[in-house]
Amino acid sequence: MDWASILYLGVTFGLFAVFALIVVRTYNKKSKDRNESAKYRMLDDD
Amino acid sequence: MEKPSYNTDIVRSFVTWSLVWGLVAVLVGVIVSLQMVNPDLNFGPYLTFGRLRPIHTNAGIYGWGVGTIFATFLFMVQRLCKQPLWSDKLAKFQLWFFNATIIASAVTLLLGYTTSKEYHEMEWPIDVMVVILWVAFAINIIMTIIKRKDEQMYISLWYMMAALIGVAILYLVNAAAVPASLFKSYSAYAGTNDANVHWWFGHNAVAMALTAPPLAMFYYFLPKSTGVPIYSHRLSIIAFWSLIFMYLWTGAHHLLWTPVPDWIQTLAMAFSVMLIAPSWGSVINGYLSMNGQWHQMKENYLVKFLILGITFYGLQTLQGPMQSIRSFSAFIHYTDWVPAHIHMGTMGWVSMISFASIYFLAPRIYGREIYSIPLANLHFWLALIGQLIWSISLWVAGVLQAGMWNAMNDDGSLTYTFMETMVEMYPYWWARVIGGAIYFAGILIFVYNLYMTVRKKETIPSTTAEGRA
């Protein structure tokens, strides 16, 4: 495997890891209320 | 707490100009569809199909689509951030520079100056204008977001930022060219690289100009219209990030069966199919947001536009991945199936959401209740019926065309000549003219309704009107 392939693979796994972290952080039970709060606040009277 | 003083004048101005360019786009669309059934309607050299077709697409995407994006983003960002615009002067400059850019585009395209890159036909001086325009817009929105009071950003703001950054990157990379004269340039890329970069731009212009902004509008105007929050903000965040991670890899599905390397085509095909998940994440979130509120489909004309809009988005994001599969693409590519697909996206998804957004804005920017809700409902039905006639007739035409092109005799020769396949298209092309004319009639009613709203004498004290029907 050449360096270019290793780099492609690294970027692919890196991006997947970032996405997985976003999913875990978003669906973390401890921060549920915080992550859902914006949908209520946007309904405030303008 | 004292409410910030929001700039609604600029929103009103952008709504007006987006309507002007929307009318031009659809009218020219009807004219070019007539030119397809009656070539005698080509009046050379300026009013031929070849010159009018890019006017139709560019006025639609950049005049109507981006004009509405400017109006709605400038409205939403102030309210979601509870801040006035960072710079009113910059927004004013953006308004006039926007119109100057669109006019310059239309004039140069009519004169025949073109890069010949679909959806990016304008020559390099106009590219420079587009970049200045977008930078002015992006600075104003991003600076307003930075000044916001709440740390947690609503999903619409995420989509707005993605559109700002995404369009900038796509446009700059695809616009790279070597100018040869004032109105002639040569692409910085050659051969298959040029095609690959161009369709990376082309498909992601759909993502960043015609998907992310309407989603920002949908997530804002649906709950504002129904009065209840979206089903899940967390689902919207996951759908957003998966859309961002996946979309940029899909452009090469426009180049299946071409000299572009096979692995790039396969990558684009795989990511296109995967893209169903984030797209339907938003569709399902929209439908579940209507739990207990489905009666509003009957009572609230805004909800009709919004829910039909997201439904067309759902249909498009199933059809698109299907078309990106090699075997199916081999059958329908280059047929009339493809414009049917894009028009269900533009006339069904993007425009339905844009109509709803502008109807929602009307009482708030004009200070008057909408002139006629029955006319708004009539507009809805004309838009829906016109769009369905347009798309369904060309789906059928596309399958017929593909079938005839692929038909072979026992000795391996083609059963039909190309001209025979063209003659078979006439009834479907007439149906397209009729569908387009119905859709245009709906837009005329839309504009009339807004015009009469502006002319109404009675004003409303506060901008709290909902779209009850």
Side-chain angles (χ1 to χ4, degrees):
Chain A
M1 191 180 272
D2 58 14
W3 282 107
S5 304
I6 293 168
L7 186 65
Y8 283 141
L9 213 58
V11 169
T12 305
F13 280 114
L15 287 174
F16 182 79
V18 171
F19 180 66
L21 279 174
I22 290 171
V23 174
V24 169
R25 190 172 180 273
T26 306
Y27 272 92
N28 183 349
K29 280 185 183 172
K30 286 180 190 167
S31 52
K32 181 184 174 188
D33 290 343
R34 183 175 170 274
N35 285 335
E36 291 290 348
S37 62
K39 74 178 185 186
Y40 300 108
R41 268 203 319 278
M42 67 84 64
L43 284 172
D44 289 350
D45 183 18
D46 292 331
Chain B
M1 193 176 77
E2 195 181 332
K3 283 186 182 174
S5 170
Y6 297 139
N7 184 343
T8 51
D9 289 349
I10 195 69
V11 178
R12 195 163 48 232
S13 300
F14 270 116
V15 165
T16 304
W17 284 106
S18 69
L19 290 173
V20 169
W21 297 121
L23 274 171
V24 170
V26 182
L27 177 62
V28 176
V30 174
I31 291 170
V32 293
S33 71
L34 277 165
Q35 289 178 328
M36 293 289 278
V37 288
N38 187 355
D40 290 340
L41 293 174
N42 282 269
F43 301 106
Y46 303 112
L47 301 178
T48 54
F49 180 88
R51 296 204 184 174
L52 287 179
R53 196 266 183 180
I55 302 262
H56 164 61
T57 53
N58 286 294
I61 297 170
Y62 300 109
W64 162 238
V66 172
T68 310
I69 290 170
F70 287 160
T72 53
F73 278 26
L74 291 169
F75 179 88
M76 290 189 292
V77 74
Q78 298 182 78
R79 282 145 187 89
L80 288 172
C81 297
K82 296 185 171 57
Q83 287 290 327
L85 276 184
W86 181 68
S87 169
D88 291 335
K89 283 183 183 166
L90 195 56
K92 194 93 176 167
F93 163 77
Q94 183 197 334
L95 172 72
W96 294 112
F97 207 69
F98 163 69
N99 284 308
T101 307
I102 299 291
I103 291 167
S105 304
V107 171
T108 53
L109 287 172
L110 277 177
L111 292 174
Y113 296 111
T114 173
T115 63
S116 78
K117 290 184 171 185
E118 196 174 13
Y119 308 130
H120 200 154
E121 286 92 347
M122 284 81 81
E123 270 294 355
W124 71 270
I126 294 166
D127 280 342
V128 173
M129 294 175 79
V130 171
V131 171
I132 293 170
L133 175 67
W134 200 259
V135 168
F137 176 51
I139 288 175
N140 219 355
I141 296 288
I142 291 171
M143 291 307 291
T144 309
I145 292 175
I146 288 173
K147 284 195 323 172
R148 76 188 186 280
K149 290 186 176 159
D150 297 324
E151 186 199 348
Q152 188 74 4
M153 294 199 308
Y154 185 61
I155 184 62
S156 297
L157 290 174
W158 285 101
Y159 277 111
M160 287 160 73
M161 288 204 301
L164 293 174
I165 296 165
V167 169
I169 294 170
L170 293 162
Y171 205 88
L172 279 174
V173 173
N174 195 48
V178 181
S181 67
L182 184 59
F183 288 113
K184 182 64 198 162
S185 62
Y186 293 96
S187 174
Y189 316 102
T192 54
N193 282 339
D194 191 35
N196 200 23
V197 169
H198 175 57
W199 282 110
W200 169 78
F201 161 84
H203 193 74
N204 288 295
V206 174
M208 295 301 157
L210 303 179
T211 299
L215 281 171
M217 295 178 213
F218 176 76
Y219 277 119
Y220 182 85
F221 292 109
L222 181 72
K224 283 287 188 185
S225 301
T226 59
V228 294
I230 58 166
Y231 170 70
S232 169
H233 195 252
R234 291 185 300 170
L235 176 57
S236 70
I237 295 285
I238 297 301
F240 167 80
W241 280 110
S242 39
L243 188 101
I244 298 303
F245 273 90
M246 289 177 199
Y247 227 126
L248 292 173
W249 302 92
T250 58
H253 69 213
H254 287 260
L255 299 166
L256 299 177
W257 304 103
T258 68
V260 168
D262 253 10
W263 71 268
I264 294 180
Q265 298 179 30
T266 306
L267 184 82
M269 194 169 79
F271 270 87
S272 301
V273 173
M274 284 157 63
L275 205 52
I276 293 172
S279 308
W280 272 80
S282 290
V283 175
I284 290 169
N285 212 351
Y287 286 154
L288 291 177
S289 301
M290 291 296 291
N291 274 344
Q293 301 297 324
W294 285 105
H295 59 92
Q296 293 207 36
M297 279 292 282
K298 188 174 172 223
E299 299 161 0
N300 187 335
Y301 71 96
L302 297 174
V303 174
K304 280 184 214 165
F305 279 104
L306 290 162
I307 292 300
L308 258 294
I310 199 76
T311 302
F312 283 128
Y313 177 58
L315 292 173
Q316 284 310 284
T317 51
L318 287 178
Q319 194 190 19
M322 187 170 78
Q323 288 170 214
S324 71
I325 294 170
R326 268 200 190 88
S327 51
F328 192 65
S329 177
F331 186 66
I332 53 90
H333 205 183
Y334 308 115
T335 72
D336 279 345
W337 174 283
V338 177
H341 169 65
I342 187 71
H343 280 80
M344 184 169 272
T346 50
M347 295 160 82
W349 157 233
V350 180
S351 291
M352 285 284 197
I353 299 294
S354 300
F355 295 144
S357 304
I358 292 174
Y359 276 126
F360 180 91
L361 294 181
R364 290 155 181 84
I365 58 177
Y366 301 131
R368 293 161 177 84
E369 293 288 5
I370 196 78
Y371 169 69
S372 168
I373 289 175
L375 280 182
N377 278 311
L378 178 61
H379 171 209
F380 168 80
W381 285 108
L382 289 173
L384 179 63
I385 292 167
Q387 197 282 123
L388 286 175
I389 291 174
W390 207 110
S391 289
I392 292 172
S393 60
L394 285 205
W395 280 338
V396 177
V399 173
L400 176 65
Q401 216 168 16
M404 291 180 80
W405 287 350
N406 283 283
M408 283 192 190
N409 301 317
D410 291 341
D411 62 358
S413 60
L414 293 173
T415 307
Y416 302 102
T417 63
F418 184 69
M419 194 51 73
E420 284 173 317
T421 69
M422 295 289 278
V423 170
E424 284 298 313
M425 291 299 106
Y426 272 75
Y428 304 98
W429 287 349
W430 272 115
R432 167 168 60 185
V433 172
I434 293 165
I438 292 172
Y439 198 87
F440 184 62
I443 292 186
L444 287 177
I445 288 169
F446 175 48
V447 172
Y448 173 76
N449 207 356
L450 292 173
Y451 174 72
M452 294 306 287
T453 303
V454 176
R455 288 193 51 172
K456 267 173 80 170
K457 284 184 182 156
E458 319 88 71
T459 55
I460 47 176
S462 63
T463 54
T464 54
E466 295 295 338
R468 304 286 159 194

